[in-house]
């Protein structure tokens, strides 16, 4: 399907209950296109549950992704913590794949005062092992390191694109709110366009045809992201971002992570669908 699909990070607030199944049904009722299943506090879904989720999503025509637990640090200094982090990614990928999700998103690491070059190598090597294991299990889910909102977190734009360029089946999760909060910039049409241009240069047109995007309002300070806000209560120039996505003909999934979830997801979808391409 051409263009972008819009949806929520987690079950919409207006769903009948907070379950993933009711979330998917509500997404369909709202005429949104996708939902990210939040395993951020742990993967608490069994195989039978995941199969039901897959059936529901297929029936309702809702595309899914999953967000891995926050407790991941591929740069942890204790080997057992790195292994536990790898296991959390693999576990997320396993259940996500049973859910019929096409992508998983994760926050890769913290620098912990180490040099970014060193951290990059550690993250790459440990993600490479994860990807080998997934391949062995025939798990074809896209594994997406996310652009992180704080300068203490590994995951600036170039680091994420480097991982994607080096590892098969690894693709970016471009969180435009995080990048704005982290840099204090990247909040205008030319800046948004420059990110998309960079994605295209580093990963090719195929990456723009297979985008996974997070958007929300955000507050930030010297240490980057403070918290997510509703779009209209924030300074985030979402109309300019949507315009850039249109001009670059980006295809894929946009997950809204504003506190009001579906309200802003619908706002983004409507703005995207009504604004003309030229400009
Ligand atoms: Zn995230």
């Amino acid at each position: 399907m051409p263009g972008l699909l819009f949806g929520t990070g987690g079950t919409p607030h207006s769903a009948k209950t907070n379950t993933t199944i009711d979330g998917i049904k509500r997404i369909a009722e709202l005429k949104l296109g996708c939902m990210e299943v939040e395993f951020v506090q742990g993967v608490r879904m069994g195989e039978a549950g995941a199969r039901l989720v897959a059936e529901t999503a297929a029936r309702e025509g809702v595309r899914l992704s999953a967000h891995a637990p926050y407790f991941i640090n591929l740069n942890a200094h204790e080997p057992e913590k790195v292994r536990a982090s790898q296991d959390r990614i693999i576990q997320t990928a396993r259940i996500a794949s049973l859910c019929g999700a096409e992508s998983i998103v994760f926050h890769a690491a913290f620098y912990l005062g180490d040099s970014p070059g060193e951290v990059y190598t550690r993250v790459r090597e440990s993600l490479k092992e994860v990807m080998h294991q997934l391949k062995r299990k025939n798990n074809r889910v896209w594994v997406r390191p996310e652009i992180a909102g704080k300068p203490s977190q590994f995951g600036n734009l170039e680091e994420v694109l480097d991982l994607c360029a080096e590892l098969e089946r690894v693709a970016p999760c471009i969180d435009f709110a995080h990048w704005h909060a982290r840099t204090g910039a990247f909040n205008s049409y030319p800046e948004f366009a420059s990110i998309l241009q960079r994605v295209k240069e580093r990963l090719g047109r195929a990456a723009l045809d297979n985008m996974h995007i997070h958007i929300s309002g955000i507050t930030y300070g010297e240490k980057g992201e403070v918290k997510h806000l509703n779009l209209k209560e924030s300074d985030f120039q979402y109309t300019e971002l949507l315009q850039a996505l249109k001009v670059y003909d980006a295809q894929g999934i946009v997950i809204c992570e504003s506190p009001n979830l579906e309200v802003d997801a619908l706002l983004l979808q409507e703005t995207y669908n009504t604004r003309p391409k030229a400009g």
Side-chain angles (χ1 to χ4, degrees), residues 201-262:
E201 280 165 16
R202 293 295 318 279
L203 306 177
R205 173 68 226 180
L208 291 179
D209 292 335
N210 175 27
M211 290 286 274
H212 192 88
I213 293 167
H214 284 175
I215 302 180
S216 71
I218 199 157
T219 50
Y220 50 95
E222 239 162 69
K223 292 179 178 169
E225 169 184 16
V226 176
K227 65 173 183 154
H228 288 195
L229 292 178
N230 297 333
L231 285 169
K232 286 187 170 168
E233 292 151 20
S234 77
D235 69 356
F236 194 67
Q237 299 300 312
Y238 62 92
T239 53
E240 299 199 22
L241 170 56
L242 293 170
Q243 185 73 358
L245 291 168
K246 219 171 220 188
V247 168
Y248 275 79
D249 196 20
Q251 320 270 322
I253 278 181
V254 176
I255 294 297
C256 175
E257 292 187 324
S258 296
N260 67 13
L261 291 177
E262 65 267 40

Coordinates of all heavy atoms in Angstrom, one line a residue, residues 201-262:
E201 N 20.7 8.7 1.1 CA 22.2 8.6 0.8 C 22.8 7.3 1.4 O 23.6 6.6 0.7 CB 22.9 9.8 1.3 CG 22.8 11.0 0.4 CD 23.3 12.3 1.2 OE1 23.9 12.2 2.2 OE2 22.9 13.4 0.7
R202 N 22.5 7.1 2.7 CA 23.2 6.0 3.4 C 22.6 4.6 3.1 O 23.3 3.7 3.0 CB 23.2 6.3 4.9 CG 23.9 7.5 5.4 CD 25.4 7.3 5.2 NE 26.0 6.0 5.5 CZ 26.3 5.6 6.7 NH1 26.2 6.3 7.7 NH2 26.8 4.4 6.8
L203 N 21.3 4.6 2.9 CA 20.7 3.3 2.9 C 19.9 3.0 1.5 O 19.4 1.9 1.3 CB 19.7 3.1 4.0 CG 20.2 3.3 5.4 CD1 19.1 3.2 6.5 CD2 21.4 2.4 5.7
G204 N 19.9 4.0 0.7 CA 19.2 3.8 -0.6 C 17.7 4.1 -0.5 O 17.1 4.2 0.6
R205 N 17.1 4.2 -1.7 CA 15.7 4.5 -1.8 C 14.8 3.5 -1.1 O 13.8 3.8 -0.5 CB 15.3 4.6 -3.3 CG 13.9 4.7 -3.7 CD 13.3 6.1 -3.3 NE 12.0 5.9 -2.6 CZ 11.2 6.8 -2.1 NH1 11.6 8.1 -2.3 NH2 10.1 6.6 -1.5
A206 N 15.3 2.2 -1.0 CA 14.5 1.2 -0.4 C 14.2 1.5 1.1 O 13.2 1.2 1.6 CB 15.3 -0.1 -0.4
A207 N 15.1 2.2 1.7 CA 14.9 2.6 3.1 C 13.7 3.6 3.3 O 12.9 3.5 4.2 CB 16.1 3.2 3.8
L208 N 13.6 4.5 2.3 CA 12.4 5.4 2.3 C 11.1 4.7 2.0 O 10.1 5.2 2.3 CB 12.7 6.6 1.3 CG 13.8 7.6 1.7 CD1 13.9 8.6 0.6 CD2 13.6 8.2 3.1
D209 N 11.2 3.6 1.3 CA 10.0 2.8 1.0 C 9.6 1.9 2.2 O 8.6 1.2 2.1 CB 10.3 1.9 -0.2 CG 10.4 2.7 -1.5 OD1 9.9 3.8 -1.5 OD2 11.1 2.2 -2.4
N210 N 10.4 1.9 3.2 CA 10.2 1.0 4.4 C 10.6 1.7 5.7 O 11.4 1.3 6.4 CB 11.2 -0.3 4.2 CG 11.1 -1.2 5.4 OD1 10.1 -1.3 6.1 ND2 12.2 -1.9 5.6
M211 N 9.8 2.8 5.9 CA 10.1 3.7 7.0 C 9.3 3.2 8.2 O 8.2 2.8 8.1 CB 9.8 5.1 6.7 CG 10.7 5.7 5.6 SD 12.3 6.1 6.3 CE 12.0 7.7 7.0
H212 N 10.0 3.5 9.4 CA 9.3 3.3 10.6 C 9.6 4.6 11.4 O 10.7 4.9 11.7 CB 9.7 2.1 11.4 CG 8.8 1.8 12.5 ND1 7.7 1.0 12.4 CD2 8.8 2.1 13.8 CE1 7.0 0.9 13.6 NE2 7.7 1.6 14.5
I213 N 8.5 5.3 11.8 CA 8.7 6.7 12.3 C 7.9 6.8 13.6 O 6.8 6.3 13.7 CB 8.1 7.7 11.2 CG1 9.0 7.7 10.0 CG2 8.0 9.1 11.8 CD1 8.4 8.3 8.8
H214 N 8.5 7.5 14.5 CA 7.8 7.9 15.8 C 7.7 9.4 15.7 O 8.7 10.2 15.4 CB 8.6 7.5 17.0 CG 8.6 6.1 17.4 ND1 9.3 5.5 18.4 CD2 7.9 5.1 16.8 CE1 9.0 4.2 18.5 NE2 8.2 3.9 17.5
I215 N 6.5 9.9 16.1 CA 6.3 11.4 16.2 C 5.5 11.6 17.5 O 4.6 10.9 17.9 CB 5.4 11.9 15.0 CG1 6.1 11.6 13.7 CG2 5.2 13.4 15.2 CD1 5.4 12.1 12.5
S216 N 5.9 12.7 18.2 CA 5.0 13.2 19.3 C 5.5 14.7 19.5 O 6.5 15.1 19.0 CB 5.2 12.4 20.6 OG 6.5 12.7 21.1
G217 N 4.7 15.4 20.3 CA 5.2 16.6 20.9 C 6.3 16.3 21.9 O 6.3 15.1 22.4
I218 N 7.1 17.2 22.3 CA 8.2 16.9 23.3 C 8.6 18.1 24.0 O 8.6 19.2 23.4 CB 9.3 16.1 22.5 CG1 10.2 15.3 23.5 CG2 10.1 17.1 21.7 CD1 10.9 14.2 22.9
T219 N 9.0 18.0 25.2 CA 9.8 19.1 25.9 C 11.2 18.6 26.1 O 11.4 17.4 26.3 CB 9.3 19.5 27.3 OG1 9.1 18.3 28.1 CG2 8.0 20.2 27.2
Y220 N 12.1 19.5 26.1 CA 13.5 19.1 26.2 C 14.3 20.2 26.8 O 13.9 21.3 26.9 CB 14.0 18.8 24.8 CG 13.7 19.9 23.8 CD1 14.7 20.9 23.5 CD2 12.5 19.9 23.2 CE1 14.4 21.9 22.6 CE2 12.2 21.0 22.3 CZ 13.1 21.9 22.0 OH 12.8 22.9 21.1
G221 N 15.5 19.8 27.3 CA 16.4 20.8 27.9 C 17.9 20.4 27.4 O 18.0 19.7 26.4
E222 N 18.8 20.8 28.3 CA 20.2 20.5 27.9 C 20.5 19.0 27.8 O 21.4 18.6 27.1 CB 21.1 21.1 29.0 CG 22.1 22.1 28.5 CD 22.6 23.0 29.7 OE1 23.4 22.4 30.5 OE2 22.3 24.2 29.8
K223 N 19.8 18.2 28.6 CA 20.0 16.8 28.6 C 19.0 16.1 27.6 O 18.7 14.9 27.8 CB 19.9 16.2 30.0 CG 21.0 16.7 30.9 CD 20.9 16.1 32.3 CE 22.1 16.6 33.2 NZ 21.9 16.3 34.6
G224 N 18.5 16.9 26.7 CA 17.6 16.3 25.7 C 16.2 16.1 26.2 O 15.7 17.0 26.9
E225 N 15.6 15.0 25.7 CA 14.2 14.7 26.0 C 13.9 14.9 27.5 O 14.6 14.3 28.3 CB 13.9 13.3 25.5 CG 12.6 12.7 25.9 CD 12.4 11.3 25.5 OE1 13.4 10.6 25.2 OE2 11.3 10.8 25.5
V226 N 12.8 15.6 27.8 CA 12.3 15.6 29.2 C 11.0 14.7 29.2 O 10.9 13.7 29.9 CB 12.0 17.0 29.7 CG1 11.3 17.0 31.1 CG2 13.3 17.8 29.7
K227 N 10.0 15.1 28.4 CA 8.8 14.2 28.3 C 8.1 14.5 27.0 O 8.2 15.5 26.4 CB 7.9 14.3 29.5 CG 7.3 15.6 29.7 CD 6.3 15.5 30.9 CE 5.6 16.9 31.0 NZ 4.3 16.9 31.6
H228 N 7.2 13.6 26.7 CA 6.4 13.7 25.5 C 5.2 14.6 25.8 O 4.7 14.7 26.9 CB 5.8 12.3 25.1 CG 6.9 11.5 24.4 ND1 6.7 10.4 23.7 CD2 8.3 11.6 24.5 CE1 7.8 9.8 23.3 NE2 8.8 10.5 23.8
L229 N 4.8 15.4 24.8 CA 3.6 16.3 24.9 C 2.7 16.0 23.8 O 3.1 15.4 22.8 CB 4.1 17.7 24.8 CG 4.9 18.4 25.9 CD1 5.3 19.8 25.5 CD2 4.2 18.4 27.2
N230 N 1.4 16.5 23.9 CA 0.5 16.5 22.8 C 1.1 17.5 21.8 O 1.7 18.5 22.1 CB -0.9 16.9 23.2 CG -1.4 15.9 24.2 OD1 -1.0 14.7 24.2 ND2 -2.3 16.3 25.1
L231 N 0.9 17.2 20.5 CA 1.5 18.0 19.4 C 1.2 19.5 19.6 O 2.0 20.4 19.5 CB 1.0 17.5 18.1 CG 1.7 16.2 17.6 CD1 1.0 15.6 16.4 CD2 3.2 16.4 17.4
K232 N -0.1 19.8 19.8 CA -0.5 21.2 19.8 C 0.0 22.0 21.0 O -0.1 23.2 21.1 CB -2.0 21.4 19.6 CG -2.4 21.1 18.2 CD -3.8 21.3 17.8 CE -4.1 21.2 16.3 NZ -5.5 21.2 16.0
E233 N 0.4 21.3 22.1 CA 1.0 21.9 23.3 C 2.5 22.0 23.2 O 3.2 22.4 24.1 CB 0.6 21.1 24.5 CG -0.9 21.2 24.8 CD -1.4 20.0 25.5 OE1 -0.6 19.2 26.1 OE2 -2.6 19.7 25.5
S234 N 3.1 21.6 22.0 CA 4.5 21.6 21.9 C 5.0 22.5 20.8 O 4.1 23.1 20.0 CB 5.0 20.1 21.5 OG 4.7 19.9 20.2
D235 N 6.3 22.6 20.6 CA 6.8 23.5 19.5 C 7.0 22.7 18.2 O 7.5 23.2 17.2 CB 8.1 24.2 19.9 CG 9.3 23.2 20.1 OD1 9.1 22.0 19.9 OD2 10.4 23.7 20.3
F236 N 6.6 21.4 18.2 CA 7.0 20.5 17.1 C 6.3 20.9 15.8 O 5.0 20.9 15.8 CB 6.8 19.0 17.5 CG 7.5 18.1 16.5 CD1 8.9 18.1 16.5 CD2 6.8 17.3 15.7 CE1 9.5 17.2 15.6 CE2 7.4 16.5 14.8 CZ 8.8 16.4 14.7
Q237 N 7.0 21.1 14.8 CA 6.4 21.5 13.5 C 6.0 20.3 12.6 O 6.6 20.0 11.6 CB 7.5 22.4 12.8 CG 7.9 23.7 13.5 CD 6.7 24.6 13.8 OE1 5.9 24.9 12.9 NE2 6.6 25.0 15.1
Y238 N 5.0 19.7 13.1 CA 4.6 18.4 12.5 C 4.1 18.6 11.0 O 4.3 17.7 10.2 CB 3.6 17.6 13.3 CG 2.3 18.3 13.5 CD1 1.2 18.1 12.7 CD2 2.1 19.2 14.6 CE1 0.0 18.8 12.8 CE2 0.9 19.9 14.8 CZ -0.1 19.7 13.9 OH -1.3 20.3 14.1
T239 N 3.5 19.8 10.7 CA 3.0 19.9 9.4 C 4.2 20.0 8.4 O 4.1 19.5 7.3 CB 2.2 21.2 9.2 OG1 2.9 22.3 9.7 CG2 0.9 21.1 9.9
E240 N 5.3 20.6 8.9 CA 6.5 20.7 8.0 C 7.1 19.3 7.8 O 7.6 18.9 6.8 CB 7.5 21.7 8.6 CG 6.9 23.1 8.6 CD 7.9 24.2 8.7 OE1 9.1 24.0 8.3 OE2 7.5 25.3 9.2
L241 N 7.1 18.5 8.9 CA 7.6 17.1 8.8 C 6.8 16.3 7.8 O 7.3 15.6 6.9 CB 7.6 16.5 10.2 CG 7.9 15.0 10.2 CD1 9.2 14.6 9.5 CD2 7.9 14.4 11.6
L242 N 5.5 16.4 7.9 CA 4.6 15.6 7.0 C 4.8 16.1 5.6 O 4.8 15.2 4.7 CB 3.1 15.8 7.5 CG 2.8 15.2 8.8 CD1 1.4 15.6 9.3 CD2 2.9 13.7 8.8
Q243 N 5.0 17.4 5.4 CA 5.3 17.9 4.0 C 6.6 17.2 3.5 O 6.6 16.8 2.3 CB 5.4 19.4 4.1 CG 5.6 20.1 2.8 CD 4.2 20.1 2.0 OE1 3.2 19.5 2.4 NE2 4.3 20.6 0.8
A244 N 7.6 17.2 4.3 CA 8.9 16.6 3.8 C 8.7 15.1 3.5 O 9.2 14.6 2.5 CB 9.9 16.8 4.9
L245 N 7.9 14.4 4.4 CA 7.7 13.0 4.1 C 6.9 12.7 2.8 O 7.2 11.8 2.1 CB 6.9 12.4 5.3 CG 7.6 12.3 6.6 CD1 6.7 11.9 7.8 CD2 8.7 11.2 6.5
K246 N 6.0 13.7 2.5 CA 5.3 13.6 1.3 C 6.2 13.9 0.1 O 6.1 13.1 -0.9 CB 4.1 14.6 1.3 CG 2.9 14.1 0.7 CD 1.7 15.0 1.0 CE 0.5 14.2 1.3 NZ -0.7 15.1 1.4
V247 N 7.0 14.9 0.2 CA 7.8 15.3 -1.0 C 8.8 14.1 -1.2 O 9.1 13.8 -2.4 CB 8.6 16.6 -0.7 CG1 9.7 16.9 -1.7 CG2 7.5 17.7 -0.7
Y248 N 9.3 13.5 -0.2 CA 10.3 12.4 -0.4 C 9.5 11.1 -0.6 O 10.2 10.0 -0.8 CB 11.2 12.2 0.9 CG 12.4 13.1 0.7 CD1 12.3 14.5 1.0 CD2 13.6 12.7 0.3 CE1 13.4 15.3 0.9 CE2 14.7 13.5 0.1 CZ 14.6 14.8 0.4 OH 15.7 15.7 0.3
D249 N 8.2 11.1 -0.7 CA 7.4 9.9 -0.9 C 7.8 8.8 0.0 O 7.9 7.6 -0.4 CB 7.6 9.5 -2.4 CG 6.5 8.6 -2.9 OD1 5.4 8.6 -2.2 OD2 6.7 7.9 -3.8
A250 N 7.9 9.1 1.3 CA 8.3 8.1 2.3 C 7.1 7.1 2.4 O 5.9 7.6 2.5 CB 8.6 8.7 3.6
Q251 N 7.4 5.8 2.5 CA 6.3 4.8 2.7 C 6.6 4.1 4.0 O 7.7 3.9 4.4 CB 6.4 3.8 1.6 CG 6.7 4.3 0.2 CD 5.5 4.6 -0.6 OE1 4.5 3.9 -0.5 NE2 5.6 5.7 -1.3
G252 N 5.5 3.7 4.7 CA 5.7 2.9 5.9 C 4.7 3.3 7.0 O 3.6 3.7 6.7
I253 N 5.3 3.2 8.2 CA 4.4 3.4 9.4 C 4.8 4.6 10.2 O 6.0 4.8 10.4 CB 4.5 2.0 10.2 CG1 3.6 1.0 9.5 CG2 4.3 2.2 11.6 CD1 3.6 -0.3 10.2
V254 N 3.8 5.3 10.7 CA 4.1 6.4 11.6 C 3.3 6.1 12.9 O 2.1 6.0 12.9 CB 3.6 7.8 11.0 CG1 3.7 8.9 12.0 CG2 4.3 8.1 9.7
I255 N 4.1 6.0 14.0 CA 3.5 5.7 15.3 C 3.5 7.0 16.1 O 4.6 7.6 16.3 CB 4.3 4.6 16.0 CG1 4.2 3.3 15.3 CG2 3.9 4.5 17.5 CD1 2.8 2.7 15.2
C256 N 2.3 7.4 16.6 CA 2.2 8.6 17.4 C 2.4 8.2 18.9 O 1.7 7.4 19.4 CB 0.9 9.3 17.2 SG 0.7 10.7 18.3
E257 N 3.3 8.9 19.5 CA 3.6 8.7 20.9 C 3.2 9.8 21.8 O 3.7 10.0 23.0 CB 5.1 8.3 21.1 CG 5.5 7.0 20.5 CD 6.9 6.6 20.8 OE1 7.8 7.5 20.9 OE2 7.2 5.4 21.0
S258 N 2.4 10.7 21.4 CA 1.9 11.8 22.2 C 1.1 11.2 23.4 O 0.5 10.1 23.2 CB 0.9 12.7 21.4 OG 1.6 13.4 20.4
P259 N 1.0 11.9 24.5 CA 0.1 11.3 25.6 C -1.3 11.1 25.2 O -2.0 10.1 25.6 CB 0.2 12.4 26.7 CG 1.5 13.2 26.4 CD 1.7 13.1 24.9
N260 N -1.8 11.9 24.3 CA -3.2 11.7 23.8 C -3.4 10.7 22.7 O -4.5 10.5 22.1 CB -3.9 13.1 23.4 CG -3.2 13.7 22.2 OD1 -2.5 13.0 21.5 ND2 -3.5 14.9 21.9
L261 N -2.3 10.0 22.4 CA -2.2 8.9 21.4 C -3.1 9.1 20.1 O -2.6 9.7 19.2 CB -2.6 7.6 22.1 CG -1.6 7.0 23.1 CD1 -2.2 5.7 23.7 CD2 -0.3 6.8 22.5
E262 N -4.3 8.6 20.2 CA -5.1 8.5 18.9 C -5.5 9.9 18.5 O -5.8 10.1 17.3 CB -6.3 7.6 19.1 CG -7.4 8.0 20.1 CD -7.2 7.4 21.4 OE1 -6.0 7.3 21.9 OE2 -8.2 7.0 22.1

